Each structure stands twice: as structure tokens, then as C-alpha cells.
Amino acid sequence: MEHNIDLSRYAIRTDLALEAHELVQEQQSASDVMPGVRIETDDSERGIKVTRLQVETEEAGRTIGKLPGHYITIEVPKLRDNDTAVEEQVARRFTKEFAAFLERLGITEDKKALVVGLGNWNVTPDALGPMVVENLLVTRHLFTLAPESVEEGYREVSALSPGVLGITGIETSEIVFGVVEKSKPDFVICIDALASRALHRVNTTIQISDTGIHPGSGVGNKRKAIDKQTLGVPVIAIGVPTVVFASTIVNDAITYLLGHFGQSMKESSRAFNKLAMSSLPERKEPYTEEDLPDMESRKTFMGLVGSLPEQEKQQLIHEVLRPLGQDLVVTPKEVDDFIEGVANVIATGLNRALHRAVDGQNSAAYTH
Amino acid sequence: MEHNIDLSRYAIRTDLALEAHELVQEQQSASDVMPGVRIETDDSERGIKVTRLQVETEEAGRTIGKLPGHYITIEVPKLRDNDTAVEEQVARRFTKEFAAFLERLGITEDKKALVVGLGNWNVTPDALGPMVVENLLVTRHLFTLAPESVEEGYREVSALSPGVLGITGIETSEIVFGVVEKSKPDFVICIDALASRALHRVNTTIQISDTGIHPGSGVGNKRKAIDKQTLGVPVIAIGVPTVVFASTIVNDAITYLLGHFGQSMKESSRAFNKLAMSSLPERKEPYTEEDLPDMESRKTFMGLVGSLPEQEKQQLIHEVLRPLGQDLVVTPKEVDDFIEGVANVIATGLNRALHRAVDGQNSAAYTH
Amino acid sequence: MEHNIDLSRYAIRTDLALEAHELVQEQQSASDVMPGVRIETDDSERGIKVTRLQVETEEAGRTIGKLPGHYITIEVPKLRDNDTAVEEQVARRFTKEFAAFLERLGITEDKKALVVGLGNWNVTPDALGPMVVENLLVTRHLFTLAPESVEEGYREVSALSPGVLGITGIETSEIVFGVVEKSKPDFVICIDALASRALHRVNTTIQISDTGIHPGSGVGNKRKAIDKQTLGVPVIAIGVPTVVFASTIVNDAITYLLGHFGQSMKESSRAFNKLAMSSLPERKEPYTEEDLPDMESRKTFMGLVGSLPEQEKQQLIHEVLRPLGQDLVVTPKEVDDFIEGVANVIATGLNRALHRAVDGQNSAAYTH
Amino acid sequence: MEHNIDLSRYAIRTDLALEAHELVQEQQSASDVMPGVRIETDDSERGIKVTRLQVETEEAGRTIGKLPGHYITIEVPKLRDNDTAVEEQVARRFTKEFAAFLERLGITEDKKALVVGLGNWNVTPDALGPMVVENLLVTRHLFTLAPESVEEGYREVSALSPGVLGITGIETSEIVFGVVEKSKPDFVICIDALASRALHRVNTTIQISDTGIHPGSGVGNKRKAIDKQTLGVPVIAIGVPTVVFASTIVNDAITYLLGHFGQSMKESSRAFNKLAMSSLPERKEPYTEEDLPDMESRKTFMGLVGSLPEQEKQQLIHEVLRPLGQDLVVTPKEVDDFIEGVANVIATGLNRALHRAVDGQNSAAYTH
């Protein structure tokens, strides 16, 4: 979670493909799915909504700012309640979705995994990756040192929490490359904390994707990417939004407000026109809006509040945020509990999905 | 920091007397200090602004929602930079202000202190009190067990982190009462994390007051208060805002936006009138705004966006927040570092202000 | 765990009644149970040995240095393996033993409990009490604030981690008294880390007793005791040995060595006598050992190594330990994991034994 | 700190070259320095003893079980008192010694360092390396991303805490190799917790060496070594003893005891002989010890206790330890504070020695 803020777009920053797509829909006032994007929603399980989104073309990817590939989003509003029954339910569903994801990628049971816990363990909302790694069932050393002792149903799994640039002085991707070269996994799973545009999605949503990790994506620093192209093996990214840009909250508030005023404006506009027409000298045939003079000034006036152009809106948000600090990132007060809960869900799910021999009965034994 | 949310006012929730006063000024569109409130600002020291606010009457207290008494606010925007030089500067200033505060209350060097670290050590933004207590120079047991070994210049100090209701099942105030009865301090200092209305004040502001701790104040649960009346000895409260209600951010955004539109409205209003007048049948003497028909509808229209009544504004905020969760409380992502830094400042300051023998040379020895 | 070291006896320091009794047996070279002490052993469950020891008389109590009362010891060597199946098994057994203990004391389901976690949370081997408290199901506030919401099968439980003298400056017992007076529980449960004389018992043994907590017991500082006499309600103490005095390890080594030499000595003694007799002038009837001259010097010589008097042995240990530091207390390197595991066992067991509605299915929900 | 226990020698396990040398001297009853070893002691500074030991030959290395190279040992008994003045004094001395060490190795100011914090952050006595890394002033990313912003007097420093085999499933050395290949430092500094043979040396001694890290050294697993040969750049190891094998404590006790008895034996032997001689038939010329019969049995008898052969001694220790657990490793109860203190000393010292611009005035700013 190292955020390179693109000032021109910062107010709508999100790491979730689902939100990015929604956002473009909103901005284009389109309710249809974009061309080049396929979406499938599954809410068959009570309290859990799973969305499978596929970005099929480069162009669609550019439009929503996400790379072509598969994105699964598991949304569970109740995940926030720190209820162990809900956590167990989500762990089960995550296991199922993740196992299917591996299968679709052709990753069979004999493939060796390296799980990378990205993020800074000293910053609670950024500690998700390292916390998942702490609770993983790691087996690679057993396969290496005492292969005869490894029972049926276990996969070769290794794990690493490389730290962040400010702690190590080394690009995380360089550390991962080095370790991949030496330990030679068949695929890599990266866990990272994400930024969402919606406060209500913090710690209630898990995203799985096959596009890898691309810090500051779009900005062109290819060398930092952790993906199939750079590592030579498939990279699956698992992310959970744990923070929101304060600017997003402000943006949402303003968007809502403008929508609210927009509605009023339509009514006011009609009232204005009626007023203006009633002020015109009487004549036989009734005036229409076409007859109103000085159309330009009226439009300008409407524009002021009715439908602010995107650029002006950004400028406005920029001004509102000035006293706040432009790039302030916030997290819910209860972040410690949230992170612990969701890290447990993911670790439990990974342990079950990666090792056939681990199931609901014994998986608690490996997590804290 | 146990927040009882008063829905009718939640958008302006603050634990800082300074903000509460500002807020009332804003709402009353008054720029003068309220009657019954005295304010004195001292920004003689570069980068530090100290405000001394005194609520002199019960009535003024009711109006701003704070009890009569003295409130000192130390504001240091740079406190957020995790710069040890700034932290040392603030610790020095805090020492000076706190020592003067003790002196004004007539608390001499021989008076015994009990420092109470309120809050939940498992919730980072609420862990300020316990973290300060961990770094205090505690001496009461030396005075009791080996008085001859205590050197000149030390005060009898004890300390306690009682935990929160959800951890102990016991009202914090009951625990404090019990311990005060047994350990018989001459005065009590309570440290607590606060809620502010402004994100930029989180971890940059320290409030000292002589009014004690009043959770859910105004709601009338007197038995929970920790103050001179309930404990029988003076209670000094030290607080630092560490969280903000998300609703406050939205409120600030909307307030700013309405101000922005209000300004546009004045201009638009003139444009509208000019337009309307130009639409009227020509006549010799120029039209004035008085001549415009249907004034009521024009006013209504202006009212729509110009100056929303407080009640409607709250309703609007309520609606904006619905998807967010009404009572979401947020904290900056960097909360771990912030809390550690400011807890260190307060512990260092208290150690120096409480013990004459502790100064800038040796105070670091007692904190981590 | 605040150890007042009695230098004359430090080498045999133990907080376990079971060990204290064994020790006296050893020193008296007696294999029988002491008069005034009743012991009953139950090893019906594989891997778990439960000993019920009752000190019936004041005199027996003085002899073994433990107060009259009931002591249950649960010994599980495998508890050290960090095996969750073993931990669950021990939690079940602890629940059963503790429930029976409550029943024998006449403490029914409607009695209100206060659980006190003694010890210093900053010192890992001393953090057992606070860690148990963190994982307790606390309900008192629900009974107080929303009694109608409390379901059948829950007891009123509150909890407190008062800290240690060095952190608070206040005797732990004073804090507990104050809180008991305000919160009025019907009985108190104290959790504390203990010192054992045997390294192998560290983190493998749990002691339950009804005699309360008596720091530096025997030394006569009655005011520090936390027991029925001082609090006015029954006090149950739960303890787990987490440290050993280094002197005890040395003592054990020396005791073993002396035993080893003692055996050799008997044989050597015979050899010596044979040698001595063979050196005597020949005569008709064979010499017996009675005929040997200078018996005193021989005895002295034997005494040198054979059976060192207790006082000399202590002196020897004292000298061996001089370079080590006399009062060094050690703990196994893996202390972090050990404490976490056993704290979990006790918290789970207490939650089940205190609340009828909590059982093996849902108890994991309350611990971390 | 992954201990491969060599049963035949376990009782004298030590990672300190100084102790290994002493031990060989003791076993050989030699008071002279061994051939191939040069030792120089400097106790010019009150309270600090610095020993510079050089193993000059392969043969000497084999004898003491340490590789040829330079070993500096800084011994400060008071380091255990948690006294910040002492810690600052040791940090100053460490800075000086480490800077001289770099100079002797020809490592100039422009050489890039990678600091590796070995050990397990979840095991307090093994967390030294990771704790030092947390407090380092890391600059490599500044040199890479914004070289113009780096002021005069700073070196390019990166840092890594790779974790241990049980957490990652990957040999630590493999991770370090991978990262060295990618980040290309000019030299590597490894920090590790060590085992000492003496409890009094735990957390009072710092060893610096240029021989790298060799887990289970001597056993021949070259691939695990982290040294100049395997990495291609100089490797400096910094270690602090934080644990002791319980067997070592027992060994020391027994050694002392045997020494004690040995002394008694000499006296007893004379008494015995006198006795035996007095038992012989009178004759003119006085008997000498030569005249005593059955010398063999007497010698055997003496041997029983007087000077146990090394092998028998080991066997004895083995038996004493059976109930303890053969490979139990212990640490002082106060390990949390100790590790924090000494990690702070080393981090402060490294920050000063690695960056000319960091001195006593500002170095505290980088550590916690």
C-alpha cells in the first residue's frame, strides 16, 4: 500500500476493479456494463455477495484504470461485526472461490506456492499482508529437509513479509524477485491492504485477481510491478480495502449534494423559465422557453450549481480539502480488530485452499 | 473515549472546548467571543499556538456544551511530522503550561498525584492514556517502602490504566473511585483520547482542563463523571484528539460547498435580477429589483442552495452518510506513529512538571 | 509474581504446594505423605495427571510453607508442544476441575465473579494474568446496563489487570480491595505466574487453590495478602509456573550429583574398609569394620562428599551461583508461545466453567 | 539463532569466540593463550572491557570451534541495569569499535551497506536482529529515488529482516543471497542473538566479527553460511548472547563442585594415606605412601570424585538433565527489557558508525 497520488484524479482513488468500473459508469451516467468488461453477480449465499468481473480488452482496462484479467470481489457487510460465526462462513466461501480461481488458472495441487505479505507491520491498516503470513501453514522446509515426513494432502508453501521501501530501502519487487529466483515457486500469492473509495467497504470486501501487483499503476514504473511478466510465474493478488482517502469522503459528499441540488435545479429551472416568460410582454400565442432572451447567461447560472463540470468539481474538492491536508488517508477507529479478523479469514482460507489435508476441523490450529 | 452519539447533533461532535466555541460562533454567524467565555491566544513561540479559554458561567457552558472551568489548548500542526526536535519543543512547552496550571490550582510540590490513563490499549487511537502511563516516572511505592531513599525534588506519583467497560465490565469511574479511596492522592490527572471535528487537529492538539472527565456529558449520567465533585480532589484532564466522526468531514465539506455556492448565489442573484428586469416591457424609468414580480418564488429558489437552514443541512448530511454508516469514527492511517509520538510528549512533559528533579537532561531516561 | 527472596532457603523456592511437599519429603528422606497433608492422584486421563492436595493443619502448612487449604495440580508434559488438540483437551479438563472446585466451595451459578489478572504485561513470563483477562467473556456491564438482554446461562463476570507495584506505585492488593468494594463481587479469581523448582514444570502445570495470594508468604506482610480474610469473599488462585530460579537448577544438579556420589561412596566405603583391614597386621580371626582405628577421621572424610549437611550444601550453591548473580530467574526461550498457549487454555476453561451457556462449540469465539 | 545441538559437546555450547577459547584453556588446564590465537584486552574505560581476539590459523580455529578471523567482544556487566546513561556510554564505545573495524577491513564511507536482522520476531530472546533493523536509519531508497536530496555525510544503507525457516519455509541464507544479488550492497552486516555458556554474559556482551554467520558450524552445511565466500562481499556479524543452554548451567555447577571436591580430596587423600599407614604394622623407618598396598584401588576410589574424566562428566550431566529436557534453552525473566535496551544500543551505534552525519546529538531521533 504505497500510494502515488495522481492529483488530477485523487478524489476517486480506488484499488478495487469493481469500484473503478462503477465510477466510470457513474461519470458516464451509464447504467450498462462497459464494453470489454463482463460482470457476473452471485448472491446465492445469504449475507455474501460475490462479483466476478473480467476486463477483456486493453481499452476497457485503460478506461477503468485496471489491467485486463479476472477480478473476484467478495462483499460481506457483516464482516465488520467481529462475529466468529460470520468469519468462519466467509473463510469457507473464500476457500471455495480461491480454489476455483486456482483451478481456472490451471494451478494443480503439486504446484509450489510462495505467499508474499506486502505492507508495513508497524502501520496497523497496512499490516494485513504480514499478519496473514504469520498465520500460514508453511511447509517448504519440510519438503526440503524431511520429505518423507510430509503427509499426503499438503502442498509446498513458503512465505515472506518483505517490508516496505521506508523500512528496507529496497523496492519490494526487487526483494520478491530475488527470493523467487532462489526459492523457485511455481506461483506467487500477494496479500496487500488496499484503498477503497467507500468507507463502508473498508474491511468488508476481499478482492482476488490474477493481474498481480502494480503500485502506482498507469504511471509507467514497470520495474516495480510484481506480476507474471516480471516474475515469470503466475501472480495472484488478494487485497482488502483498509483505508479511504479523506478526499473520497468529501468527493462522495459533494457528489451527493450536487445530485441533490441538480434535482432541485431542474424544478427551479422550470420555475425560473416560467417567471421569466411571465415577465415578457403579453402576446397571443404563449411563449416557449425558446423565446427567452439571454440564454447564455441563464445557462451559465444553471451551470454554477446544476451540473458542475468534472474539472471544476475536482477544483472545488481540492479547495475543501486544503485545510485537511490533501492526501490524508483515514481508517476506521476499530482498525486493530478489523485487520486481525480479516487476516484470520484469509489465512484460514488459504491454508484450506492450498492444502487439501486442511479442512474446517483442523484449520484453526494454524492461526492465532 | 466512549462516545454516546447524540444524533441530533452528531455532525458537530467535538471534545475540544475551543472547537465547541468556534462552532457556536459559526452557527450564530458571530465573530465575537461569546458572553461568559474569555479567550486569550498566545502564539509567541514559533509553530505553537496556545489558547487559554475560560468558561465563566453555567449558561455559557450550556451553550457550548462544556462545563465552566479553564481549558488550555496547545496546537502544533508540525506535531504530525514525527520530528523529534518538534516533539522535544512541545514537551518543553507542555511542561511549562502544565506547571503553571498546577500553580494556578494551588497544587504545590508536596501534593501526591494519581495519573489515570483512560482508554482501551487494544484500540490504537484509544490507547493514548495507557501509553502515557507506561512511560511515567512512578514513585509512590518508593515513598511508602523506602522513603529515605527518595531524593530531593521528586513528588509522590502513582498511576493506573483501568481499562474500558467492555474489557472490565466495571465502570471506569468505579475503579478510579476505589483506587482513590485506597491510595489517597491529593489530585488526579486523567489522560484520554478525544474526538475532534477537524481532521487536521488529530494528533496536533493537546487540551488541558480542570473540569474532569464527563463521558456523554449533558446526558445526565452524573455517576460516571470523574471530577472534583465525585472524587473529592481536583481532577485535571489532558486530552488529544485522535479521531474524527466521518459525519464531521462530510459536514465540513458541505458547509464549505454551501459557502462557496452562497457566494456564487449573490452574484447569480444579481445576474438573475438583471435578466428578469431586462425581460420586462421597456419603460422610461429603469426597473429596480422592487419591480420584479413573484418575489416569493425567487426567494424560495435562492433558499434552495444559498443558505440551507441548519435542520435541512443536518438532514442532508444524514442522507449523505446513510451508506457510510452513521456513526463511523475515523483516524489517520498513520495512527500508530502519531499516538506513540504524542504519548511520549505528554509523558515527558508530565515527568518534568511533576518532579522538579527531572529536567531536559534526564527525562528521556524514563520514557521508551 | 513479585519474589521476596529468602536467602537461607532460596535454592528451593517454589510456589507449588505439590513441589513444596515433595521437597520436604526429600529433605526428610521420607517417602510417606506428611501428617496433616492428604494427597490423591488421578491419572485416569492419558497424558494428564491431576493431584488433589489438602493441607489440613496449621502445622503441616508451616512445615511445607503453604497455607492450609485445597490445592489442585494439573500436570500435562505435552502442554509445551503448542499442540492445539492437547490445549483443547486440557481446557476441557481444567473446566471440569474448576467447576468441581467452585461446587465444593458452594459457589453457585448466580454468584458474581471478579477475575484479577496479576502480573506485569511488559514482562512476558509475568504476563499470564493480564493475557487471561484479555480473553475472558466479561458480562457485568450487560447485567448492569441491559439486564433484559442477558441470555440464560451466563454469570455476572468482571475482570481487572491491576498492574504491578513498579508500574502503578500502589500495592496490587490495595487496588483489588478498592475495586472489590465498589463492584461487590461474590468471589474473586486471581491468575498469576508462579515460580517452580523444576524447569520441566514450567508451562506444563496449572495449580488451583482456595488459599488466595500471599506474596512473600511467611514474611508476615499480611496487608499484601489477597484472600478471604482481607477481601471478605472467597478467593481462588490459579497459577502456572513460568520461571525457575537459576539457583534451583544448580541445586538440582548438585543434589543429583551428591546422590550419585553417595552411591559410589557406599561402595567406596566398603572398598576403603577392606583396604584398611587388609593393611592391619594379620591375625587369626578376621577383622571386622569395628576393629578399624580412627573411625572419626574416616567418618569426617566420608561426610565430605557423601551426605553434605543442608547448610553446607546451601553454602556451596551460594558459591557456585556467585558469578551467576544470586537471584537470577530464568524462563524457557520459547516463553512467548508458552504463555500464549496456556493463557488461552485457562481463559477458555474459565469461560466455560463460569458460564453454563458457553461450551466447547462456542468458547473459541471469546479468545484470540 | 537456530541451534543444532551436538550432543557430545552440548554442555559447553557457546557462540562467543572468547568463551570458546577460555573453555579450551580450562579443559587443557592451560592458562596461556593458545598458539594461533592472539588476544588483547582493553579495560581503559571504566565498566567496559573490550577484548580483541584473532584466530590466526585454521588449526587454532578447529581447536576452539571458531573460524579464523577477528573477534571483538565488548563486555559491560552494567548493561543489564536498564540505565540509559550506561546504554549511551556503550553506544558511544560500540560506535568507535565498529568504525575502527570497518576501517581495518578497508570499508570506506562510500561503500553501501545491507544490514540483515536475523532471528524470529515472535520469540523475544531471538528478536534482537529484527529489533535493531526497526531502528536503523535506512537511506538506500533516497539515494535511488532522490539522490540530490541526500545530504553530505550519509551512507547508502538498506536493511532486511528475513525471518526464520519455520516462518518462511526458505533458508535464511537463500533469502539473503537473493536480496544481495538484486540490491548489490558492498558489504553486509548481520545481527543475531547468540547462545552463551554463562548466564552472567546474557545481554551484557556484544561480539563483532568478520567471519560471517555459520549456523551449526563445523557440521559442514556450507550452503547455509552467510559469509564473504558465499555472498562475494565482506560480511560482518554482530551478536549478543541472549540465551544459555540449561545444560551449561548444570555443567558449570558440576565443574565448580568437582573443583571444590577435588580440593577436599587432596586433603582427604593425605588423611587416608596417613590412616592407612597408621594401620600398618609398626616398623622402624617410617612408612611412605609408596609402601601402601593396593594402590590401584585407592586411585580408582580417588578418581571417583576427584577428577572425573571429561566423558564421564558429560555422561553425568546428561543424566542430571534427563528430567529437565536435554536441549532446554533458557533466558532471564527480564528478557523483554534486556533485548529492547541492547537493540537500542546497537542501532544507535550502527547509525552513528555508518553515517558520519549522525552523532550523539541527533541519533536518538532514529530509534524508538
Side-chain angles (χ1 to χ4, degrees), chain A residues 184-294:
Chain A
K184 298 191 177 23
D186 296 314
F187 67 110
V188 169
I189 299 168
C190 289
I191 324 281
D192 200 8
L194 306 178
S196 164
R197 65 179 287 228
L199 213 39
H200 74 262
R201 234 192 282 266
V202 166
N203 291 303
T204 64
T205 301
I206 303 173
Q207 175 177 274
I208 306 168
S209 79
D210 56 8
T211 56
I213 297 280
H214 301 263
S217 42
V219 191
N221 40 7
K222 276 278 163 71
R223 91 181 191 289
K224 289 186 189 174
I226 303 177
D227 61 9
K228 187 167 184 176
Q229 199 183 330
T230 54
L231 293 190
V233 294
V235 177
I236 302 171
I238 300 173
V240 175
T242 64
V243 298
V244 166
F245 279 75
S247 54
T248 306
I249 303 177
V250 170
N251 181 74
D252 283 357
I254 288 176
T255 302
Y256 186 91
L257 206 59
L258 293 179
H260 178 87
F261 287 154
Q263 194 53 36
S264 304
M265 272 303 116
K266 282 188 194 150
E267 292 158 27
S268 300
S269 184
R270 274 193 290 276
F272 175 88
N273 287 345
K274 245 172 102 182
L275 170 67
M277 287 182 283
S278 73
S279 310
L280 294 182
E282 285 193 39
R283 71 178 189 187
K284 230 169 179 178
E285 61 274 50
Y287 285 102
T288 68
E289 300 197 349
E290 303 302 306
D291 298 312
L292 287 171
D294 203 5

Side-chain angles (χ1 to χ4, degrees), chain C residues 252-264:
Chain C
D252 283 357
I254 289 177
T255 302
Y256 184 92
L257 205 61
L258 294 178
H260 177 88
F261 287 154
Q263 193 53 36
S264 304

Side-chain angles (χ1 to χ4, degrees), chain A residues 21-261:
Chain A
H21 180 255
E22 277 172 11
L23 199 62
V24 172
Q25 280 182 308
E26 277 173 31
Q27 285 174 344
Q28 300 182 342
S29 302
S31 62
D32 293 346
V33 170
M34 279 181 44
V37 171
R38 284 174 56 180
I39 289 192
E40 186 190 305
T41 302
D42 171 358
D43 47 12
S44 58
E45 190 174 350
R46 195 188 165 82
I48 298 182
K49 180 175 164 194
V50 173
T51 308
R52 294 182 188 85
L53 184 150
Q54 186 181 354
V55 179
E56 294 174 314
T57 63
E58 293 281 343
E59 197 195 330
R62 264 191 304 278
T63 310
I64 69 168
K66 298 290 151 198
L67 287 174
H70 292 81
Y71 298 84
I72 294 186
T73 315
I74 304 174
E75 293 173 90
V76 193
K78 296 231 165 191
L79 204 43
R80 228 180 224 181
D81 299 355
N82 260 344
D83 178 328
T84 45
V86 172
E87 289 178 6
E88 169 55 23
Q89 185 196 3
V90 182
R92 269 201 309 271
R93 181 63 180 265
F94 176 84
T95 304
K96 199 180 131 194
E97 297 293 336
F98 193 79
F101 204 82
L102 288 183
E103 205 182 322
R104 203 178 41 66
L105 290 173
I107 295 172
T108 48
E109 214 187 334
D110 56 316
K111 299 302 183 205
K112 302 166 187 172
L114 167 64
V115 184
V116 179
L118 299 169
N120 186 343
W121 44 79
N122 294 323
V123 173
T124 307
D126 201 18
L128 176 73
M131 280 187 72
V132 169
V133 162
E134 288 285 320
N135 287 300
L136 282 183
L137 174 57
V138 166
T139 56
R140 183 178 177 274
H141 54 311
L142 306 176
F143 278 87
T144 311
L145 301 176
E148 70 289 353
S149 77
V150 181
E151 287 172 43
E152 183 66 11
Y154 289 93
R155 184 194 298 268
E156 196 171 319
V157 173
S158 55
L160 186 75
S161 291
V164 294
L165 191 58
I167 287 180
T168 62
I170 309 172
E171 289 291 348
T172 305
S173 54
E174 288 185 271
I175 297 176
V176 176
F177 294 171
V179 173
V180 165
E181 274 181 25
K182 295 296 168 193
S183 65
K184 298 191 177 23
D186 296 314
F187 67 110
V188 169
I189 299 168
C190 289
I191 324 281
D192 200 8
L194 306 178
S196 164
R197 65 179 287 228
L199 213 39
H200 74 262
R201 234 192 282 266
V202 166
N203 291 303
T204 64
T205 301
I206 303 173
Q207 175 177 274
I208 306 168
S209 79
D210 56 8
T211 56
I213 297 280
H214 301 263
S217 42
V219 191
N221 40 7
K222 276 278 163 71
R223 91 181 191 289
K224 289 186 189 174
I226 303 177
D227 61 9
K228 187 167 184 176
Q229 199 183 330
T230 54
L231 293 190
V233 294
V235 177
I236 302 171
I238 300 173
V240 175
T242 64
V243 298
V244 166
F245 279 75
S247 54
T248 306
I249 303 177
V250 170
N251 181 74
D252 283 357
I254 288 176
T255 302
Y256 186 91
L257 206 59
L258 293 179
H260 178 87
F261 287 154

Side-chain angles (χ1 to χ4, degrees), chain D residues 235-286:
Chain D
V235 177
I236 302 171
I238 300 174
V240 174
T242 64
V243 298
V244 166
F245 280 75
S247 54
T248 307
I249 303 177
V250 170
N251 181 74
D252 284 356
I254 290 178
T255 302
Y256 185 91
L257 205 61
L258 294 178
H260 177 88
F261 287 155
Q263 193 53 36
S264 303
M265 273 304 115
K266 284 188 194 150
E267 292 159 28
S268 300
S269 184
R270 277 193 288 276
F272 176 90
N273 288 344
K274 245 172 105 181
L275 169 69
M277 288 184 281
S278 73
S279 309
L280 295 182
E282 284 195 37
R283 71 179 192 186
K284 230 173 180 176
E285 62 272 49

Side-chain angles (χ1 to χ4, degrees), chain A residues 124 257 272 329 331 333 336, chain B residues 124 272 275 316 329 331 333 336:
Chain A
T124 307
L257 206 59
F272 175 88
V329 176
T331 190
K333 179 190 162 196
D336 306 78
Chain B
T124 308
F272 176 88
L275 170 70
L316 204 57
V329 176
T331 190
K333 181 189 160 196
D336 306 77

Side-chain angles (χ1 to χ4, degrees), chain C residues 202-271:
Chain C
V202 166
N203 290 301
T204 64
T205 301
I206 304 172
Q207 175 177 274
I208 307 169
S209 78
D210 57 7
T211 56
I213 298 281
H214 301 264
S217 42
V219 191
N221 39 7
K222 275 280 164 70
R223 92 180 190 289
K224 289 187 191 175
I226 303 176
D227 61 9
K228 185 166 185 174
Q229 198 182 331
T230 53
L231 293 191
V233 294
V235 178
I236 301 171
I238 300 173
V240 173
T242 64
V243 298
V244 165
F245 280 75
S247 54
T248 307
I249 303 177
V250 170
N251 181 75
D252 283 357
I254 289 177
T255 302
Y256 184 92
L257 205 61
L258 294 178
H260 177 88
F261 287 154
Q263 193 53 36
S264 304
M265 272 303 115
K266 283 189 193 148
E267 293 158 28
S268 299
S269 182
R270 276 193 289 276

Side-chain angles (χ1 to χ4, degrees), chain C residues 122 124-125 199-200 256-257 260 268 272 275 279-280 298 301 304 316 319-320 323 328-333 336, chain D residues 122 124-125 199-200 256-257 260 268 272 275 279-280 298 301 304 316 319-320 323 328-333 336:
Chain C
N122 294 323
T124 307
L199 213 40
H200 74 263
Y256 184 92
L257 205 61
H260 177 88
S268 299
F272 175 88
L275 170 68
S279 310
L280 296 181
R298 265 199 313 132
F301 165 58
L304 267 170
L316 203 57
E319 280 168 37
V320 173
L328 210 55
V329 176
V330 299
T331 191
K333 180 191 162 196
D336 306 77
Chain D
N122 294 323
T124 307
L199 213 39
H200 75 263
Y256 185 91
L257 205 61
H260 177 88
S268 300
F272 176 90
L275 169 69
S279 309
L280 295 182
R298 264 201 313 133
F301 165 58
L304 268 170
L316 204 58
E319 280 168 38
V320 173
L328 210 57
V329 177
V330 299
T331 190
K333 179 190 162 197
D336 305 78

